[in-house]
Structure formats: C-alpha cells, structure tokens
C-alpha cells in the first residue's frame, strides 16, 4: 500500500502539471488556487495526525491504569504489578514549586526591567539574550544544575533540579511579562504620573494590574512546560522509586519516572509509564484548555 | 509635567527632579533581575568551558575532529554525535519545516475563519506536550509501525540509493528525524504566522485589487515579503531540533557511529549526554560537558541568526 503511495505521489504531480498546462489561463489560475488549498489542508492534517494518534494510544492503553492506586501508592519493586506514582507526582510538585519560587520573581522583574526601566544598549542586549535563551536546549540547563550544585555538594538533589528548571523558566517569563506590559496603554501611566505617583507606584498599582491576566497566563504556561521537562532532571534530581521529601537528596519526578519505567523490559513498568504519560498529557491539555478559555485574547506566545 | 526632558517619554522617567527612595529600590531590583539573564548566559558559558577542560586538554583538536567515541579506551571524538544531530535535525527540518510553513500560510491567508481557533489550540497543544511523551509514543507506536510497515517498503523502492538499508530495528536517524519533525512543526508554524501577520495589509490588498486570487497574493506578495522571517522560523525550528533530548534519546538507537544508512541507529549530542551522563566517570563526564559546549554554541548561533531575521521583517513593516 505504501509502495503505491510512494510511487503515486510523483505520478500525481506529473498529472497535475500536465492538466495545468492544458487548461486555458483563467481555469489554470483556479486550478492552482484549488491545488494550494488542498496542499494547505494536507499540511494541517499531517501536522495533527501524530497528535490524534498519540492521544488515542495513551487513552486506550493508559486509561485502565488511572485508578486511585496511581495517586496514592508509590512504585512497586521492579517487575511487580500494581503500584502508582504518588512519589513522582509529589516530587514534581516540590521541584517545580521550588523552581517557580526562583524563576517567577526573577523572570517577572526582568520583564518589568525591559518594559519600564531599561534603556539603551544594555537593555537591548538583555532583551536579545532573553529571546535567544528561550531556545536553550534543556539538557544544557541540566548540565548547569549539575556543575553548579551537584558537583559542589557532591550530592544529587531536588534543589539542583529546581535550579535547572528555573534557568529554563526565566527567559520565557521575562519575554511574556515584557510583551504583556508593553500592551498597557501609555495614557494609563501618564494619568498615574499626573496624579503625582512615583514610578514604583505606577508600575505596581496601575501597569501590573492592567497586564495581570496576560502575565499570569504566561507564567502558568511556562510552569506547565518545565513541569514536563525530563532531561535537566536526569542530570540533577536523577529520580527515586519511593517517596522522598528531603530536597537535598535525589527525588522522583513524574516525567523522570515515565522515562525510567519506559526503559524497563517489564509489562508492569511500561504500563505505569503509559499511565503516567496519559496523566501528564491530560493535565497539560487541561491547563491549555482552561487558559485559552479564560484569556483567549491575551494569550502570549511562548516560542 | 514641565520637568520632562524633551528626549524622554512620560512612561520612563517622569520626575527626575525629586528623589524617590522607592524608585531607587525598584530600579536596582529590576535591573538586577535583568542582569540575571545576562548572568545565565555568562555562567553557562563559563561552566561549560571549565567543565569540559579536562577532556579538551586530553583530546586537543581531536575532540572536534575525532570520529571515534570509545569510553573503554578513553577516546572522545565528538564527530559521531555532530553527525547524528545534524542529519536528524535536517531530516526534521525538511519534513516538519515544510509542513509548518504550509500550515501557517494556509491558516493566515486561505483557511475559513472558523478553523483558526480549534487548529490554533491543537497546534499549541502539540507544542506543549513534553519531549518524553513523544519519545514514549515513538517507542510504543511509531517504531513498530515503521519497522513492520514502512521501512521495508521504502527499502524496496529506494534501497538502491544506499540510504535505506534492509535490516532495521525501527530505531535510527530517520525515526528521530520524523519525531523531531512533529515536534518542530508548532515552532515553525508560530513564527511563520507571526511574520505573515506583519506583512502590510495594503500590499496584500493591492495584489487582490489588481485581480490576483488569494493564492496568487500569497505567492507573489506575502511570501516574498516575509521570506527572511520564514527563513528565521526554519532556523529556529532547526535550533529546537538540535537541542531536543529525551524524544531523540528514546528513538535514535544510541550508537556512536557514523553511517549513511538512515535506518541505522545513531546518537545526537543531546541524546548522548542524557544517556551516558548517569554512569560516566570523571573524564567521560568532562567529555560529555564538552558535547554540551558544542550544542550550546550551535543552539545560540542558530537562535541568534533566526531572531535577527525575524526582527528584520518586523522592522521592515514598522512593527516595534
């Protein structure tokens, strides 16, 4: 079947050009337009097929495992059936929570700096670097967490993972905050200054409230995104099969547990990985759906 | 308000004359946060260089030119991973980049309006799904499908080129390229959409007024105008593909070899760091950090170039 497909496409292209060549001018233009529409539609379908296949596969294979046990039990010893991902979910919450405590304030303040305070070459450099840093490969953040924290204390730790995730978070939140603040009309600031407010008062009481929903949307998306990161944690928090709440020790995280379980040759481990993946995808779809419902107009772009 | 200097806008420094203690704190705090972004870049570069120094000193230039990565013999040449990264990313760019550009051109200019929102949401979701999930799907669904159904057929038709060998486990460069293609579609589509939207309306309207249909307006006016930005979108997609780690590590097969057969296992810079780092000795770790340094330079250079190109289209249109 695929062979017919592989050979059929060149034949179709030849037929298309022959037909186009034979048609009179006016029809030829219409035919080209129609062909472009078909091509564009095909691109949409091709882009979305993997998404549909992925979600249907995860739902079909993982739905059964999404029981109460999944949320209330830790992983069983490898090879045994049952068990859950309580330890990984809690671990993810702790690591991402710590990363947010570093990443959100720094990112938002840097965004305010770019939009309200900074001028000239220095600010332009920061703006450019923050844009470039959104493309930082996540594994590099992992290396950074390793060399900065793990190597220094000679101990894999959740803190090192949080630092790595914060590094990934900061440029994204900086961009989003700056763009959101720039959307606030200048007249609002002028009114505030006209009443005698300082710049601090203006930003805190006028500008930030006006940009709040856009900034919050961006923060939620950025946090959700680092919540799915695996590579940085592989080098820093490395994972655990039991519940661990000491942040100076290695800790489990949901994406990490999915990866480690997927690499095991046992059905039970694979099942746990698929269920974990389904939970992660549902969670991310939920966050995206909520946000696009709440703030369809203010949604910033992340890439 | 008379104190505003002529060259300043009211939104920046309105009251220079009066000292505000809170503004002093506010400014230093936000400036420090801005400086943190700069610090991240500098610290990353510093850590990567110092971290990779032991391996670089041992291997010298051979680290860049060596084609053999053998941990047992302490041979660390990065070429196999540069090869794996380059080929898988270029495959991704060819497959995913073309789809991303067509998708956005279609959505911006040709598609019915009611399609925009649902498709926009789905493409955003495509971007939000973590790398690890694509990797898992690759192992469970894509690899068996490619191995059983697709690769034998491709071999039968195109095997003579030498690029598509007979025996395949389903993992390899092409599989990684396909997964990466799926992952970079949203990136390419988002930036393409952005640059198409800043093409001045009157140029497009002018083309339509001259009797062009929407396809012709797109091809003759909008795409040429936005071409630099679209190139930027593709480069950005390439940058994403280069640095992608987990999905690649799970489907590329992880073998430090240089083969022209796209069905054979390989390894990329990022995937090799992820898979070897955990059990690596000190010198090997240093060599892996060296791979990270190469990756960092590649990714920054590509992002730099892409942002420049996109910014140029925006400036040309008078946006910001």
């Amino acid at each position: 079947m695929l062979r017919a497909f592989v050979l059929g496409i060149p034949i179709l292209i030849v037929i298309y050009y022959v037909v186009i060549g034979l048609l009179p001018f006016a029809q030829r233009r219409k035919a080209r337009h129609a062909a472009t529409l078909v091509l564009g539609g095909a691109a949409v379908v091709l882009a979305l097929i993997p998404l549909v296949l992925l979600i249907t596969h995860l739902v079909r294979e993982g739905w059964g495992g999404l029981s109460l046990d999944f949320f209330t039990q830790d992983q069983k010893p490898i090879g045994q059936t049952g068990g859950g991902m309580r330890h990984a979910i809690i671990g993810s919450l702790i690591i991402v929570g710590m990363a947010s405590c570093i990443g959100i304030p720094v990112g938002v303040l840097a965004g305010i700096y770019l939009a309200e305070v900074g001028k000239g070459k220095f600010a332009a450099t920061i703006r450019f670097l923050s844009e470039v840093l959104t493309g930082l490969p996540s594994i590099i953040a992992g290396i950074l967490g390793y060399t900065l924290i793990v190597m220094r204390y000679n101990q894999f730790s959740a803190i090192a993972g949080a630092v790595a995730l914060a590094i990934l978070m900061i440029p994204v939140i900086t961009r989003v905050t700056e763009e959101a603040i720039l959307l606030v009309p200048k007249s609002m600031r002028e009114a505030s200054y006209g009443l005698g407010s300082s710049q601090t008062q203006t930003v805190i009481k006028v500008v930030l409230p006006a940009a709040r929903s856009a900034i919050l949307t961006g923060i939620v998306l950025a946090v959700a995104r680092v919540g799915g990161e695996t590579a940085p944690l592989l080098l820093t928090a490395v994972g655990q099969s039991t519940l661990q709440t000491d942040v100076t020790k290695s800790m489990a995280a949901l994406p990490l547990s999915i990866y480690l379980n997927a690499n095991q040759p046992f059905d039970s481990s694979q099942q746990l990985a698929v269920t974990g993946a389904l939970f992660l995808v549902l969670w991310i779809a939920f966050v995206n759906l909520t946000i696009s419902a709440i703030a369809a107009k203010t949604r910033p772009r992340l890439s | 308000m008379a104190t505003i200097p002529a060259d300043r806008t009211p939104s920046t420094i309105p009251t220079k004359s009066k000292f505000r203690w809170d503004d002093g704190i506010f400014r230093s705090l936000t400036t420090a946060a801005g400086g943190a972004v700069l610090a991240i870049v500098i610290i990353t570069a510093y850590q990567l260089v110092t971290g990779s120094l032991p391996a670089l000193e041992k291997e010298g230039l051979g680290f860049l030119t060596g084609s053999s990565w053998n941990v047992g013999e302490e041979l660390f040449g990065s070429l196999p991973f540069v090869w794996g990264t380059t080929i898988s990313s270029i495959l991704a760019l060819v497959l995913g980049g073309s789809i991303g550009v067509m998708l956005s051109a279609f959505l911006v200019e040709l598609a019915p309006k009611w399609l925009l929102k649902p498709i926009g949401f789905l493409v955003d979701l495509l971007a939000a799904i973590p790398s690890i999930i694509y990797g898992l799907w690759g192992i469970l669904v894509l690899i068996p499908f490619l191995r059983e159904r697709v690769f034998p057929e491709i071999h039968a038709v195109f095997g003579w080129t030498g690029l598509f060998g007979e025996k395949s486990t389903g993992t390899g460069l092409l599989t990684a390229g396909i997964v990466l293609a799926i992952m970079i579609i949203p990136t390419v589509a988002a930036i393409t959409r952005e640059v198409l939207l800043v093409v001045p309306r009157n140029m497009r309207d002018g083309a339509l007024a001259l009797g062009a249909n929407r396809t012709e307006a797109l091809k003759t006016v909008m795409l040429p105008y936005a071409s630099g930005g679209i190139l930027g979108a593709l480069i950005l997609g390439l940058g994403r593909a280069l640095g992608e780690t987990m999905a690649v590590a799970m489907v590329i097969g992880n073998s430090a070899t240089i083969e022209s057969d796209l069905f054979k296992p390989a390894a990329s810079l990022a995937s090799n760091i992820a898979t070897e780092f955990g059990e690596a000795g000190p010198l090997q770790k240093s060599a892996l950090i060296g791979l990270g340094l190469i990756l960092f330079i590649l990714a920054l250079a590509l992002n730099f170039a892409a942002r420049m190109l996109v910014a140029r289209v925006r400036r040309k249109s008078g946006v910001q």
Side-chain angles (χ1 to χ4, degrees):
Chain A
M1 186 210 112
L2 186 94
R3 207 171 305 184
F5 192 70
V6 167
L7 293 172
I9 285 190
I11 294 172
L12 260 177
I13 293 173
V14 171
I15 292 176
Y16 169 73
Y17 277 104
V18 169
V19 171
I20 285 274
L22 290 176
L23 284 173
F25 186 63
Q27 268 84 23
R28 196 185 301 168
R29 292 180 56 205
K30 277 198 186 124
R32 283 209 182 110
H33 183 56
T36 316
L37 284 181
V38 170
L39 218 57
V44 172
V45 173
L46 277 176
L48 297 182
I49 282 178
L51 182 70
V52 173
L53 289 178
L54 189 152
I55 290 178
T56 49
H57 180 83
L58 288 185
V59 169
R60 212 176 47 221
E61 302 291 319
W63 190 258
L66 214 54
S67 61
L68 197 63
D69 282 358
F70 179 79
F71 299 100
T72 56
Q73 295 203 356
D74 293 349
Q75 202 168 307
K76 290 263 169 67
I78 285 172
Q80 284 184 31
T81 51
M85 288 229 178
R86 180 184 68 138
H87 63 300
I89 296 172
I90 292 176
S92 264
L93 288 176
I94 293 174
I95 294 174
V96 174
M98 286 194 298
S100 302
C101 288
I102 310 168
I104 294 174
V106 175
V108 170
L109 284 173
I112 295 174
Y113 168 76
L114 290 180
E116 296 283 333
V117 178
K119 280 190 300 292
K121 282 246 167 65
F122 184 67
T125 311
I126 302 282
R127 180 172 299 118
F128 194 70
L129 286 179
S130 70
E131 255 183 12
V132 168
L133 271 184
T134 56
L136 183 78
S138 61
I139 188 88
I140 305 272
I143 293 180
L144 212 53
Y146 180 84
T147 55
L148 284 177
I149 313 265
V150 177
M151 249 159 87
R152 180 157 307 159
Y153 300 102
N154 212 5
Q155 168 74 48
F156 290 107
S157 66
I159 293 177
V163 168
L165 294 187
I167 289 168
L168 290 172
M169 216 187 251
I170 288 171
V172 180
I173 294 183
T174 303
R175 303 292 323 135
V176 172
T177 307
E178 190 199 356
E179 277 173 25
I181 289 179
L182 288 178
L183 289 178
V184 176
K186 219 179 211 174
S187 55
M188 289 179 69
R189 296 186 183 86
E190 286 163 358
S192 168
Y193 288 136
L195 291 170
S197 319
S198 66
Q199 188 178 20
T200 317
Q201 289 167 327
T202 305
V203 169
I204 291 174
K205 293 200 174 143
V206 178
V207 176
L208 285 184
R212 188 179 54 202
S213 73
I215 295 176
L216 281 180
T217 313
I219 290 175
V220 171
L221 288 177
V223 171
R225 188 155 92 171
V226 300
E229 283 292 353
T230 315
L233 298 182
L234 203 56
L235 272 54
T236 51
V238 298
Q240 271 283 349
S241 54
T242 51
L243 184 64
Q244 165 72 266
T245 50
D246 183 350
V247 293
T248 60
K249 300 269 168 59
S250 60
M251 189 182 279
L254 189 55
L256 211 48
S257 292
I258 294 172
Y259 175 66
L260 297 173
N261 275 297
N263 276 353
Q264 299 293 340
F266 303 101
D267 281 347
S268 56
S269 302
Q270 302 248 336
Q271 175 63 45
L272 205 56
V274 173
T275 308
L278 174 67
F279 174 64
L280 195 55
V281 167
L282 287 179
W283 166 243
I284 284 166
F286 169 74
V287 169
N288 270 267
L289 204 60
T290 316
I291 277 176
S292 66
I294 293 174
K297 291 210 178 76
T298 51
R299 188 191 168 108
R301 83 194 150 77
L302 279 184
S303 45
Chain B
M1 295 294 280
T3 55
I4 301 169
D7 61 333
R8 301 214 193 268
T9 53
S11 63
T12 49
I13 308 181
T15 48
K16 256 277 163 133
S17 56
K18 202 161 107 192
F19 178 75
R20 303 263 203 180
W21 64 269
D22 57 342
D23 279 0
I25 296 175
F26 173 75
R27 283 159 176 276
S28 24
L29 205 61
T30 53
T31 310
V37 174
L38 182 64
I40 290 177
V41 177
I42 294 171
I43 292 172
T44 308
Y46 175 78
Q47 290 288 340
L48 289 176
V49 170
T50 53
S52 58
L53 225 47
L56 291 180
E57 270 167 2
K58 183 184 169 294
E59 293 289 329
L61 209 58
F63 187 74
L64 285 177
T65 56
S67 57
S68 148
W69 178 276
N70 190 322
V71 178
E73 294 172 23
E74 296 206 325
L75 266 177
F76 299 110
S78 62
L79 225 46
F81 311 114
V82 174
W83 170 261
T85 303
T86 312
I87 301 300
S88 60
S89 304
I90 288 177
L91 286 171
L93 193 63
V94 171
L95 299 169
S98 51
I99 291 179
V101 171
M102 284 201 287
L103 175 103
S104 272
F106 177 72
L107 283 186
V108 167
E109 199 45 42
L110 305 173
K113 290 280 169 284
W114 57 265
L115 260 179
L116 298 186
K117 249 192 152 176
I119 291 182
F121 173 75
L122 290 174
V123 172
D124 280 343
L125 192 58
L126 203 59
I129 289 179
S131 179
I132 180 83
I133 309 270
Y134 285 109
L136 188 66
W137 177 72
I139 291 181
L140 296 175
V141 181
L142 191 65
I143 287 177
F145 175 71
L146 292 176
R147 184 180 56 218
E148 314 288 331
R149 310 284 288 279
V150 181
F151 283 178
E153 301 279 353
I154 295 181
H155 171 73
V157 181
F158 294 113
W160 52 270
T161 56
L163 295 176
F164 311 103
E166 187 166 11
K167 289 231 169 66
S168 171
T169 53
T171 60
L173 283 170
L174 185 60
T175 314
I178 292 172
V179 172
L180 285 174
I182 298 168
M183 300 179 69
I184 68 169
I185 286 174
T187 307
V188 176
I191 307 289
T192 304
R193 179 168 179 276
E194 185 191 326
V195 292
L196 282 178
L197 285 178
V198 300
V199 174
R201 283 286 99 175
N202 53 13
M203 291 185 66
R204 166 182 167 277
D205 294 345
L208 293 178
L210 285 171
N213 62 31
R214 281 176 301 149
T215 299
E216 289 158 348
L218 184 69
K219 280 182 191 159
T220 58
V221 176
M222 300 191 60
L223 290 182
Y225 188 94
S227 58
I230 293 175
L231 185 63
L234 292 173
I235 296 176
L236 216 57
L238 189 64
R240 282 283 137 84
L242 287 180
E244 201 46 66
T245 310
M246 297 320 290
V248 176
M250 292 168 90
V251 302
I252 202 169
N254 301 314
S255 146
T257 48
I258 302 181
E259 301 242 20
S260 60
D261 184 346
L262 299 182
F263 291 172
K264 283 270 168 63
S268 79
L269 291 165
S271 76
N272 195 60
I273 301 172
T275 48
E276 285 192 3
F277 206 88
E279 275 116 42
L283 188 62
Q284 190 187 354
K285 274 212 169 81
S286 164
L288 290 170
I289 295 174
L291 296 185
L293 182 61
I294 297 175
L295 184 62
F296 180 64
I297 293 169
L298 281 177
L300 281 204
L302 285 176
N303 272 278
F304 187 86
R307 295 298 179 187
M308 284 297 200
L309 286 164
V310 174
R312 207 157 68 189
V313 174
R314 291 170 74 98
R315 257 203 313 280
K316 194 162 76 177
S317 315
V319 179
Q320 286 188 347

